[in-house]
């Protein structure tokens, strides 16, 4: 090769390199047959307790008052629906949301005990849910935030051979006794603390 051709060859190489770097490379190639969803998965959605969750029998709660360690309490809500709290005696908890209970306790403490008390109520452990019917291990199980019906069934050992996936019902409640048939639900339906799940038998 002639020495006079080397500058031209060098310029050609620079042009090819610059073209290659200008080409954008996708971060990830998604096959055409794969469906991409932008929806938030049910498990990732937070369980709303501040406004929607109603405390009841079986819940374990923590009460903290800012700068008042003697007023810190962790306790379970018993069958009466009330708790015994320092200085204030028995307080009705069942039927209130955590934020409602905060305001209730703050109002009682402000009446002769503290000036502008700051009260925080959190749920340490939710009351259980119940599952009966055509599952391998019916009974009560600890609630887990983000629980769906398919996960509840898995906790109960799975469906029996006689179970019908078209006859699954949930009744809102707190007891573990046999309940009236509730609303029909599906495997991806959300389950809340205290819910009673009934899996019916199918006809084959």
């Amino acid at each position: 090769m002639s020495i006079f051709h080397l500058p031209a060859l060098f310029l050609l190489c620079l042009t090819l390199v610059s073209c290659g770097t200008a080409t954008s490379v996708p971060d990830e190639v998604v096959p055409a047959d794969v469906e991409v969803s932008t929806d938030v998965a049910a498990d990732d959605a937070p369980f709303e307790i501040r406004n929607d969750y109603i405390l009841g029998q079986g819940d374990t709660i923590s009460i903290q008052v800012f700068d008042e360690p003697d007023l810190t309490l962790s306790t379970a809500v018993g069958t009466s629906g009330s708790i015994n709290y320092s200085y204030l005696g028995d307080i009705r908890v069942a039927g209130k949301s955590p934020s409602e209970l905060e305001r209730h306790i703050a109002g009682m403490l402000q009446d002769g005990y503290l000036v502008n008390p700051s009260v925080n109520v959190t749920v340490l452990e939710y009351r259980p849910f119940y599952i009966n019917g055509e599952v391998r291990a019916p009974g009560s199980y600890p609630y887990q935030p983000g629980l769906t019906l398919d996960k509840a069934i898995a906790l109960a050992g799975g469906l029996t051979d006689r179970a019908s996936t078209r006859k699954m019902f949930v009744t809102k409640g707190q007891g573990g006794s046999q309940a009236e048939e509730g609303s029909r639900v599906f495997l991806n339906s959300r389950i809340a603390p205290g819910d009673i799940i009934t899996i019916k038998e199918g006809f084959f």
Side-chain angles (χ1 to χ4, degrees):
M1 179 181 292
S2 173
I3 190 171
F4 298 105
H5 293 162
L6 291 177
L9 181 61
F10 179 73
L11 290 175
L12 178 60
C13 292
L14 286 178
T15 303
L16 291 175
V17 170
S18 62
C19 292
T21 56
T23 303
S24 61
V25 179
D27 294 333
E28 182 179 1
V29 178
V30 180
D33 58 344
V34 175
E35 182 179 354
V36 179
S37 174
T38 57
D39 295 333
V40 177
D43 291 348
D44 296 333
F47 184 73
E48 297 292 339
I49 68 169
R50 299 306 304 169
N51 298 318
D52 298 335
Y53 186 65
I54 301 300
L55 297 167
Q57 174 188 341
D59 288 325
T60 299
I61 62 173
S62 171
I63 302 173
Q64 293 179 313
V65 181
F66 180 72
D67 231 10
E68 297 290 340
D70 291 342
L71 294 176
T72 296
L73 174 68
S74 297
T75 185
V77 182
T79 55
S80 65
S82 299
I83 62 170
N84 188 271
Y85 192 59
S86 299
Y87 305 113
L88 302 179
D90 291 336
I91 298 177
R92 181 73 180 175
V93 170
K96 294 183 175 65
S97 69
S99 56
E100 289 173 338
L101 183 58
E102 286 173 353
R103 292 191 295 269
H104 181 63
I105 294 175
M108 297 178 71
L109 290 173
Q110 198 167 1
D111 186 14
Y113 294 98
L114 299 174
V115 177
N116 296 326
S118 177
V119 181
N120 182 56
V121 175
T122 56
V123 180
L124 298 179
E125 184 177 330
Y126 298 98
R127 57 185 178 267
F129 70 93
Y130 304 87
I131 184 167
N132 56 61
E134 296 302 323
V135 290
R136 301 190 184 279
S140 64
Y141 292 88
Y143 174 79
Q144 303 170 4
L147 187 71
T148 51
L149 179 57
D150 57 342
K151 292 183 178 180
I153 291 173
L155 290 173
L159 298 172
T160 68
D161 295 335
R162 300 184 302 273
S164 170
T165 56
R166 296 184 178 182
K167 298 179 180 179
M168 303 182 296
F169 303 91
V170 168
T171 302
K172 301 298 178 182
Q174 298 181 25
S177 58
Q178 184 68 33
E180 295 181 1
E181 186 177 287
S183 302
R184 184 184 174 189
V185 290
F186 304 93
L187 289 174
N188 62 348
S189 297
R190 279 299 191 89
I191 302 301
D195 280 358
I196 303 170
I197 305 167
T198 301
I199 309 297
K200 298 281 189 176
E201 182 179 354
F203 296 97
F204 302 98

